[in-house]
Amino acid sequence: MAIHYDILTIFPEAFQGIFSIGMVRKAREAGLASIAVHNLRDYAADKHRTTDDTPYGGGGGMVMKPEPIFRAVEALLAQPGLPAENVPIILLSPQGRLFTHEVAKELARHPRLIFICGRYEGVDERVRQLLATDEISIGDYVLSGGEIAAMAIVEATVRLIPGVLGDPGAPFEDSLAEGLLEYPHYTRPRVFRGAAVPEVLLSGNHAEIVRWRRQQALKRTWERRPDLLKKARLTPEDWEYLQKLERGEAD
Ligand code: ADE
C-alpha cells in the first residue's frame, strides 16, 4: 500500500533536499509514496498573501491565521483521486503526543496523511479545536516550526511501507522493531587504530553471531535506555541474559 503525504508550510523550499535522497526518493520512484508540498500563502485571501497576524490579548510574536490553513486542508480533501475519508490531519507542535516507532507504525497504516507545519510562536487555537485530528511532537525541545518534524515523520513512515526497504527482514530493522537499541556494526578493516572487530563476527558461526547481536542489543538497551526494556518483546533467554547483566556475570 502506498502513502500520499500532503504538507502545508510557509517554507516549501525547505523540503526539496531531504525528499530527493535515500529511502524517500526510492519510495517515490517506486510509486510507493507521493509527496505534495503546498505553500500556505497560496491559500491566503489578500494580495500580500498573509498567513499570520498579531495575537488577541497582546504580547509579542505572531499567530498563524486559521483561514489559509482551513482553506488549504479543505481544498486538498476535495481533490479527486485521493482518499478523503478518515485522513489524519496532523498538527506538528511541541504540545503534541510524542512521536515514536509505535506512532510511526500507526500512521503508516493510512493511505494519506496531511501535515500542518505550524510556526512555533503559535497557530490559532481553532486549528487545533476544529480541524486537526492529531497533534504530534518529535521531542521535548522547541524548533522554530514544524517543518523538520514533518520531514522526520515522512522519513520514519516511508521506511515502513511494504516494499520500500529492500529486504523486509533486514537485520538493521530487527532490534528497534522489537523495542531494543541496535547492536554494534563493523566493516573492514579488521583492526582499526588498535580496536579489533569482535572475534565472533569473523567466526562464520551464524547461530553464535545471531546470539551475540541479540545480547549486544539487550546490553546497550539495558545500559542506555532501560525504560525501553519494559515494553520490549523479550524471550526467556533474553531475561536470563539481563539477569546475568544485573548480577555482573555477563559482559
Ligand atoms: N514545532 C516546534 N517544535 C516542535 C517539536 N518539538 N515537534 C513538532 N513540531 C514542533
Side-chain angles (χ1 to χ4, degrees), residues 230-248:
K230 292 193 199 92
K231 283 200 253 163
R233 272 183 285 158
L234 301 178
T235 66
E237 204 185 327
D238 292 338
W239 281 114
E240 212 173 291
Y241 178 72
L242 286 170
Q243 276 159 8
K244 274 194 190 161
L245 281 174
E246 294 281 356
R247 294 196 298 262

Side-chain angles (χ1 to χ4, degrees), residues 86-155:
N86 301 317
V87 180
I89 300 167
I90 303 162
L91 177 64
L92 299 159
S93 109
Q95 300 176 29
R97 62 185 176 128
L98 204 55
F99 187 60
T100 62
H101 191 67
E102 288 308 307
V103 176
K105 282 198 283 190
E106 176 197 319
L107 296 181
R109 285 197 279 269
H110 292 270
R112 186 179 193 185
L113 298 168
I114 298 180
F115 295 99
I116 302 168
C117 301
R119 294 272 85 205
Y120 170 63
E121 284 175 346
V123 175
D124 186 285
E125 186 64 18
R126 272 75 57 94
V127 171
R128 195 171 268 125
Q129 233 178 353
L130 307 174
L131 185 65
T133 62
D134 199 353
E135 187 167 354
I136 295 180
S137 162
I138 60 163
D140 290 335
Y141 42 80
V142 173
L143 303 165
S144 35
E147 284 75 13
I148 288 174
M151 291 177 204
I153 297 175
V154 169
E155 162 74 21

